[in-house]
Amino acid sequence: MSNSLKTSRRTFLKVSGTAGGGLILGFNLYSCSTMPDNPIFSNLEINAFILINGDGTATIKAKNPDIGQGVKTSLPMILAEELDLPWEKVTVEQAELDGRLGSQFAGGSTGVKTNYDNLRNAGASVRDVLVRAAANRWEVNAEDCKTEDGFVISGRNKLHYGHLAEEAAQLELSEAPPLKDPQDFKIIGKSKSDVDIKKIVTGQPLYGLDQEVEGMVYATVLKPEVFNSTLTSFDDVEARKLSGVIDIFKIDAMDNPVNRVDGVAVIAENLWTAFKAKKLIKASWKEPKGYITSLKQLKGDFKKGLAAKGEVLRNDGDVAAEFQKSGNVIEATYEVPFISHSQMEPMNFIADVRENEVFLVGPTQTPGSANALASRITGIPRENIQVKFTRIGGGFGRRLGNDYASEAVFISHKIKKPVKLVWSRENDFLGDLYRPAGCYHFKAAMNGTEVKAFDVNICTTSRYLYRGGSPAHGTEAFPDQQPAGMIPNFRVSYSPLLTNIPVGALRTPGVNATTYAYQGFIDELAEKAGMDPIDFQLQMIGDEDRDMPYSDHGGPTYNTKRLRAVINLVKAKSGWGQVNREGISRGFAAQMVFGTYVACIVDVRNISGKIKVDKVYITADCGRVINPIGAEAQVQGGVTDAISAAFYESLELQNGKPQAQNFDQYQKLRMKDSPEVDVSFIANGEAPQGLGEPSYPILFPALTNAVYKATGKRVRELPLKKHGLV
Amino acid sequence: MAIYNITVNGEQRQVDVDADTPMLWVLRDSLDMVGTKFGCGIAQCGACTVHLDGNAVRSCSIPVSAVGEAKITTIEGLSEKGDHPLQEAWREHDVPQCGYCQAGQIMNAAAFLSKNPNPSDADIENATHTNICRCATYNRIKAAVKTAAANM
């Protein structure tokens, strides 16, 4: 078991505050707990990120949670680059929640893009202070010193960083240290394997589920099958007869500030007993008023929602007038289902609530919010709450909500013992925050190959209906989404639909649905225009280089030149229009997603009416690529994850209960359905953007557009399974 | 509760658990060997794959009482130094994203390669189809199994 995480309260670092606040490059000087063998050298923390070791190596803190997006490797690479230390001399350690490190968060593909400048500065400031320490010692000008391979060199003088750390620690850090010319980068842009790779392939305790604390007991939670039902009564007589059961009690909806759902907590000496006891509880639930019993009912609700004509989010020109005079109007309705996150590591968290302090460890994308929630539940001040976060067995947005961490805190607070909460997979399906389902009605007027008017009316089960303060269309409808601004008459309307199905963020929230719908409909327009889909989109984008206003995530603008460049590269890479392989049908889609430009071509085969994806080509422009091998993995993974969702995934309901509560019913893509994914990047020096999400949404329309070519069937409702196509 | 003597990674271990306790929880919670992962509990995802006398099995669905004399191998015991050709190939190809399923993937592939050291691409696809990777690292799993087979 993990020695490093066995709670040793003596080592608790009390942080002064956990709100954001950017980097603090002020002086943080104290010795590390372990001294090097050679007593001449000290290990010194020069800033909150970097510990210079006496032997000239460095330990770099990975500030953000790694959910598989690779930031535990890529963010320290940025620091090490400017520190000018060879990667082999760097050890990466996961930071815990620490106010000095700024925002610690995994979401929105923001890890690299929001930390790039700060981390460069943090690394450069340490390099700079080491150089000045050397210059002082040698009585030369700092300008006459250079760094190389972790040494400071001036003429015949040469010392490694470990020799200089102590003197460097006496100097002020510069707030604007000199940065490298990107042409001199030795680490950024070079492939580095995951810093945890050895531990992963040998089964070391890295994940939340692998942690333990002294004296802990185990807990799991019984949840209602119809989402958001109220617990009316429960009988735990049989469950309590099991040896090892410690306690069984109700979790009231108001006990958990995140999801406000009733449940029954089962506490036992081991997890297996807790799981068994849960099955023996006979609970009665009262379904919520107006709950969704079937997808057919949901479809009817969407229809009503669309008919209601919601809030107009954008209205360029006069679409109605254009429709009236046009003799060429085309309409279509697209639909996306609720889908599950089904991350591989089930929800779990360890909480140890004591008299006036709390220790938390577990997988969370938002450790700061776990801290705040624990304070809210226990009344213990935030500065007395320590949060460690682990490597995470898949996030996909599910672990943004700390509903499970809150459960662990509540239970530990109540039983006054450290507790490890673990959900079963069935819990996971009953307690998921599903990707919102949505319905998209399009209407366009065309004149030859030109689109004169474009009207989209959207109704979704918005996740923002559950929050105050944010408009319901937030992350559901995007008024500036392409082709907004490219068509003179353009309207976007939105109406939210409130249901009892819990919803949350899933890989490119909202964009994963609108991209499918918009780019699918645009493919229909291309056909109507009698044009090649790529030529049609390029014509719509125009030859002029423009910065298009974009008021959502990835904005404030996107650039049409960069969009055209990814389209042209993927076209060339795939041999679109040049190479015709027998039995292959192709589909295309392209868009800016979260600041990264993606263009995708999918090759499919129609084998006796069933679709097989043969190959996917995708080009991304995410600006500067930090870690190419990791970047390629993110793009491949996003594309293949989307094939899984497009083929199979949908929350199916029977009398309001999810039919699928485990992987025997909820199908995920496996090896034989997984195509080769050819990934290319546009090499440019633009500011780095995120990659964990942008490849995901673009696959859906590229795939369904290919399916149309292969079968003549427009898939306007996902998944393909519904249509007998897989 | 009852006492069971089982062989894990070549060592005799004694555990005191209920007869129906799956090997997965014996390994993780009784023996503190957490490399074997919990994914679904119903033998669908493969995250909990271990070897029972050299065969890949789902430890979440094998009660401790059914193990008997069979020898169990977990990811911790696949190689002494973490240098099994599959572990090396996994590093070379940087296969994992979140990494949670990968111990199960490696154990599944190890049992397969021990029986079929010269697999075709189709053999590899069939053999690895059993395990879900939610991050969808399938391209690299396939490439790494090929590399490992070539190096064995």
Side-chain angles (χ1 to χ4, degrees):
Chain A
M1 202 60 47
S2 165
N3 289 326
S4 62
L5 280 172
K6 285 229 176 187
T7 37
S8 158
R9 289 191 163 258
R10 282 173 292 125
T11 63
F12 282 8
L13 175 68
K14 294 278 188 281
V15 298
S16 55
T18 48
L23 297 178
I24 299 167
L25 292 179
F27 229 55
N28 287 307
L29 168 61
Y30 48 79
S31 314
C32 176
S33 52
T34 53
M35 294 299 283
D37 292 336
N38 186 340
I40 297 167
F41 304 132
S42 308
N43 293 353
L44 290 175
E45 187 182 275
I46 307 268
N47 65 27
F49 289 106
I50 299 169
L51 181 75
I52 298 289
N53 301 317
D55 61 0
T57 63
T59 304
I60 293 181
K61 295 280 187 191
K63 70 185 279 282
N64 283 6
D66 199 313
I67 54 176
Q69 84 281 43
V71 292
K72 192 171 176 182
T73 305
S74 56
L75 297 185
M77 282 172 71
I78 299 167
L79 267 170
E81 178 67 71
E82 290 292 349
L83 185 58
D84 207 24
L85 191 67
W87 189 240
E88 297 68 37
K89 290 190 180 178
V90 172
T91 303
V92 174
E93 263 178 23
Q94 182 64 63
E96 61 183 79
L97 184 65
D98 179 342
R100 298 172 303 164
L101 299 178
S103 168
Q104 293 174 279
F105 165 75
S109 297
T110 55
V112 166
K113 90 197 255 185
T114 59
N115 286 293
Y116 182 69
D117 291 336
N118 284 344
L119 293 180
R120 284 186 74 189
N121 265 304
S125 73
V126 174
R127 178 193 163 277
D128 174 71
V129 83
L130 289 162
V131 165
R132 284 189 279 122
N136 287 349
R137 185 191 282 207
W138 298 327
E139 295 177 345
V140 297
N141 290 325
E143 294 75 43
D144 296 328
C145 299
K146 61 172 185 174
T147 53
E148 206 174 280
D149 288 339
F151 290 86
V152 183
I153 301 166
S154 176
R156 278 183 299 172
N157 295 316
K158 183 176 179 180
L159 286 172
H160 71 54
Y161 291 173
H163 289 111
L164 296 161
E166 202 156 353
E167 287 154 72
Q170 312 303 319
L171 304 174
E172 282 293 317
L173 286 172
S174 163
E175 277 181 27
L179 295 176
K180 278 188 179 179
D181 182 335
Q183 285 187 342
D184 299 328
F185 282 168
K186 293 175 191 153
I187 296 174
I188 291 175
K190 306 285 188 298
S191 286
K192 304 293 174 202
S193 54
D194 194 293
V195 293
D196 284 335
I197 184 81
K198 174 97 191 204
K199 288 179 179 165
I200 292 170
V201 301
T202 54
Q204 300 308 300
L206 277 170
Y207 301 90
L209 202 73
D210 304 340
Q211 310 307 320
E212 66 174 21
V213 297
E214 214 64 52
M216 72 182 191
V217 295
Y218 294 82
T220 195
V221 178
L222 178 72
K223 292 181 181 294
E225 285 193 291
V226 172
F227 298 109
N228 275 305
S229 292
T230 314
L231 183 70
T232 49
S233 67
F234 69 98
D235 170 356
D236 61 4
V237 174
E238 289 303 312
R240 282 183 182 273
K241 283 182 188 164
L242 281 186
S243 122
V245 170
I246 297 170
D247 203 355
I248 296 173
F249 51 82
K250 181 183 178 184
I251 297 183
D252 193 83
M254 299 316 283
D255 295 334
N256 188 336
V258 181
N259 59 1
R260 306 260 185 238
V261 182
D262 281 358
V264 182
V266 184
I267 321 301
E269 284 166 12
N270 63 64
L271 192 56
W272 178 241
T273 300
F275 281 1
K276 279 198 295 185
K278 186 183 76 171
K279 287 185 182 161
L280 295 174
I281 296 170
K282 296 177 200 81
S284 304
W285 305 91
K286 187 176 179 295
E287 293 86 3
K289 209 176 155 200
Y291 69 103
I292 304 278
T293 58
S294 68
L295 293 185
K296 202 175 151 197
Q297 181 192 341
L298 181 71
K299 229 180 211 323
D301 289 348
F302 277 142
K303 214 167 176 179
K304 279 183 232 159
L306 290 180
K309 286 277 177 200
E311 186 190 352
V312 176
L313 303 177
R314 178 172 184 137
N315 199 357
D316 302 348
D318 188 342
V319 285
E322 195 62 36
F323 289 138
Q324 214 153 38
K325 70 181 179 198
S326 175
N328 193 5
V329 172
I330 168 172
E331 283 186 76
T333 304
Y334 283 71
E335 269 181 64
V336 300
F338 294 106
I339 61 176
S340 147
H341 290 85
S342 47
Q343 67 302 315
M344 287 308 289
E345 181 188 8
M347 292 303 162
N348 66 86
F349 227 81
I350 291 175
D352 183 4
V353 180
R354 300 196 181 181
E355 186 74 29
N356 193 33
E357 59 182 4
V358 180
F359 172 71
L360 299 175
V361 56
T364 173
Q365 295 178 236
T366 51
S369 116
N371 174 297
L373 287 162
S375 176
R376 195 163 150 196
I377 293 165
T378 62
I380 293 169
R382 292 190 65 176
E383 59 269 25
N384 291 2
I385 298 172
Q386 184 192 17
V387 183
K388 288 192 175 189
F389 48 96
T390 55
R391 187 177 186 92
I392 299 175
F396 309 103
R398 176 61 186 90
R399 291 186 233 257
L400 291 165
N402 283 302
D403 49 321
Y404 53 101
S406 299
E407 276 179 358
V409 170
F410 173 77
I411 293 168
S412 175
H413 191 44
K414 186 173 168 83
I415 66 171
K416 300 191 164 46
K417 275 188 185 145
V419 69
K420 178 174 181 174
L421 172 87
V422 180
W423 286 13
S424 65
R425 178 58 62 186
E426 290 77 12
N427 273 163
D428 219 65
F429 279 94
L430 297 177
D432 201 355
L433 307 169
Y434 286 83
R435 189 277 301 272
C439 192
Y440 309 81
H441 178 79
F442 293 92
K443 189 172 176 184
M446 298 190 67
N447 182 9
T449 65
E450 210 182 331
V451 186
K452 302 296 281 184
F454 189 105
D455 185 24
V456 55
N457 187 13
I458 300 174
C459 178
T460 72
T461 63
S462 168
R463 66 193 180 108
Y464 282 102
L465 287 172
Y466 301 88
R467 301 184 190 184
S470 305
H473 77 268
T475 76
E476 296 294 316
F478 309 93
D480 298 337
Q481 181 163 2
Q482 176 194 333
M486 295 167 179
I487 295 165
N489 305 290
F490 196 96
R491 186 168 64 184
V492 183
S493 327
Y494 179 78
S495 35
L497 174 64
L498 184 65
T499 77
N500 66 308
I501 318 274
V503 285
L506 184 143
R507 208 170 199 168
T508 51
V511 173
N512 58 40
T514 57
T515 303
Y516 157 64
Y518 275 64
Q519 288 281 312
F521 185 62
I522 290 170
D523 200 69
E524 296 194 42
L525 299 180
E527 187 192 19
K528 193 89 174 168
M531 282 181 75
D532 172 272
I534 293 186
D535 293 343
F536 182 75
Q537 290 231 34
L538 286 172
Q539 173 187 289
M540 198 146 66
I541 293 162
D543 294 332
E544 204 187 327
D545 296 342
R546 288 189 290 169
D547 285 319
M548 305 295 292
Y550 189 80
S551 59
D552 281 288
H553 184 37
T557 61
Y558 70 94
N559 182 269
T560 56
K561 183 181 177 182
R562 292 177 73 179
L563 183 57
R564 284 199 308 273
V566 288
I567 293 172
N568 287 326
L569 185 59
V570 83
K571 186 180 174 185
K573 292 277 290 182
S574 68
W576 176 278
Q578 309 289 314
V579 185
N580 288 311
R581 289 195 296 142
E582 204 181 318
I584 293 289
S585 303
R586 316 191 104 172
F588 161 81
Q591 198 182 273
M592 184 279 290
V593 178
F594 286 8
T596 289
Y597 300 77
V598 279
C600 184
I601 288 169
V602 176
D603 289 0
V604 302
R605 285 179 196 279
N606 176 352
I607 302 169
S608 311
K610 302 287 181 192
I611 292 298
K612 170 102 184 151
V613 180
D614 188 77
K615 189 166 178 177
V616 177
Y617 298 87
I618 180 161
T619 298
D621 170 4
C622 60
R624 187 176 300 284
V625 173
I626 307 301
N627 186 14
I629 195 171
E632 185 200 62
Q634 289 308 304
V635 176
Q636 279 183 340
V639 159
T640 315
D641 182 9
I643 298 174
S644 181
F647 268 30
Y648 307 119
E649 296 182 36
S650 164
L651 168 70
E652 300 291 327
L653 297 168
Q654 206 165 35
N655 302 322
K657 300 173 180 174
Q659 274 182 347
Q661 297 182 20
N662 207 321
F663 293 130
D664 54 339
Q665 296 291 318
Y666 196 88
Q667 196 173 352
K668 301 292 295 184
L669 188 99
R670 292 169 187 257
M671 178 62 82
K672 283 196 274 186
D673 295 325
S674 169
E676 182 192 343
V677 182
D678 180 290
V679 182
S680 48
F681 291 98
I682 300 261
N684 61 28
E686 299 282 349
Q689 302 291 318
L691 269 183
E693 295 172 273
S695 68
Y696 182 73
I698 206 65
L699 181 281
F700 293 93
L703 172 63
T704 52
N705 295 341
V707 169
Y708 174 69
K709 285 278 159 51
T711 64
K713 188 172 172 51
R714 285 281 174 199
V715 176
R716 300 193 187 96
E717 186 184 350
L718 291 174
L720 268 59
K721 192 179 176 179
K722 266 208 164 98
H723 311 277
L725 288 164
V726 291
Chain B
M1 302 272 268
I3 302 283
Y4 293 90
N5 289 296
I6 53 175
T7 311
V8 183
N9 298 332
E11 278 181 45
Q12 284 285 330
R13 306 294 296 262
Q14 194 173 75
V15 292
D16 185 9
V17 291
D18 285 344
D20 61 356
T21 308
M23 269 314 301
L24 169 67
W25 299 114
V26 171
L27 290 168
R28 291 186 57 88
D29 290 345
S30 302
L31 299 177
D32 279 1
M33 299 170 72
V34 296
T36 305
K37 298 299 191 232
F38 168 49
C40 67
I42 58 164
Q44 289 291 313
C45 74
C48 67
T49 304
V50 299
H51 296 175
L52 205 60
D53 283 339
N55 297 307
V57 296
R58 304 294 166 85
S59 64
C60 73
S61 300
I62 295 179
V64 63
S65 55
V67 173
E69 304 280 299
K71 292 182 172 59
I72 298 157
T73 308
T74 71
I75 187 72
E76 291 93 342
L78 181 64
S79 63
E80 233 171 78
K81 293 178 179 163
D83 57 356
H84 184 283
L86 280 162
Q87 290 168 315
E88 296 285 359
W90 245 247
R91 294 165 73 170
E92 182 187 331
H93 291 273
D94 197 33
V95 174
Q97 287 182 33
C98 88
Y100 189 79
C101 75
Q102 301 293 349
Q105 302 279 0
I106 289 171
M107 293 309 286
N108 178 63
F112 158 66
L113 286 184
S114 71
K115 294 177 176 66
N116 183 355
N118 295 303
S120 66
D121 283 12
D123 290 342
I124 293 174
E125 286 184 18
N126 280 324
T128 55
H129 194 71
T130 51
N131 287 46
I132 296 173
C133 173
R134 171 68 182 86
C135 304
T137 63
Y138 297 116
N139 279 198
R140 290 189 183 177
I141 289 173
K142 193 170 153 185
V145 174
K146 273 179 93 158
T147 298
N151 291 337
M152 275 173 96

